Amino acid sequence: FFFGAGAAAMPTLEVIATGFNVKKLDPEAYGITQRVCTMKVKLGDVEKTSTELRGLDGQWEEDQNKFTFEVSDPEKEQLEAWFIMGGVTLGVVATFNLNNLKKNVGTYKGFAPPGGKVDLSLKALDFGKEDVEEEQDESWMDMCGGEGGGEEDEC
């Protein structure tokens, strides 16, 4: 292999921590004394953490919570995400496949810790399916008033 100026760069995934709402959570039931919330995301060995927000409902600032990850194999790798309040991880680690993302199109994802939901956006910057507009299938109209179509009152 030639790793010089002509070498292909690793595919890149952009992740944006968007917000959370865990208003139905009973923090005391989990031994949580401080309502300080973060989301962690991990791909391979690289882990990133959102800024801290206080409360049960918050929106992260996009410019401070936009992360990029190098992706070695979009077909096999999965992004992991989890929500932490007061130092306690709530619920299970969510996993997201990367092989169904469209190239350069933000895709909203979410996961559900106890008592609510956490939102994030994933964007395949230089990999993924091309975002092609699908042609509308108007074949159903063929039977309505068109050549060789059915009776007009059927449509």
Side-chain angles (χ1 to χ4, degrees):
F1 281 111
F2 172 73
F3 292 103
M10 293 278 282
T12 305
L13 173 70
E14 178 184 272
V15 179
I16 301 172
T18 309
F20 63 92
N21 180 329
V22 288
K23 289 182 179 177
K24 295 179 181 170
L25 174 73
D26 177 9
E28 289 75 31
Y30 292 88
I32 296 170
T33 57
Q34 292 190 350
R35 296 178 180 185
V36 178
C37 303
T38 59
M39 178 179 67
K40 290 191 180 252
V41 287
K42 182 178 180 182
L43 185 68
D45 295 333
V46 180
E47 184 177 294
K48 313 265 177 125
T49 306
S50 71
T51 55
E52 291 183 345
L53 291 177
R54 296 189 174 278
L56 300 177
D57 188 11
Q59 299 295 316
W60 282 292
E61 293 291 327
E62 181 176 324
D63 58 344
Q64 299 170 2
N65 295 282
K66 183 187 292 186
F67 311 111
T68 56
F69 293 92
E70 286 189 346
V71 181
S72 59
D73 187 350
E75 289 299 315
K76 295 180 181 169
E77 281 190 285
Q78 291 184 319
L79 180 77
E80 297 178 330
W82 60 99
F83 185 72
I84 300 166
M85 179 187 285
V88 177
T89 298
L90 295 174
V92 298
V93 174
T95 56
F96 301 97
N97 292 329
L98 307 180
N99 61 354
N100 56 358
L101 296 176
K102 291 182 178 172
K103 187 174 182 176
N104 280 319
V105 176
T107 303
Y108 285 96
K109 300 284 185 178
F111 61 99
K117 69 183 181 86
V118 179
D119 297 314
L120 62 156
S121 173
L122 308 182
K123 185 191 290 186
L125 296 183
D126 47 12
F127 69 94
K129 299 178 171 114
E130 293 293 330
D131 186 30
V132 288
E133 288 192 32
E134 296 178 21
E135 285 193 31
Q136 294 291 341
D137 179 9
E138 297 183 0
S139 60
W140 63 272
M141 291 179 65
D142 293 346
M143 63 182 201
C144 298
E147 294 168 23
E151 301 293 319
E152 280 197 35
D153 62 353
E154 291 176 9
C155 301

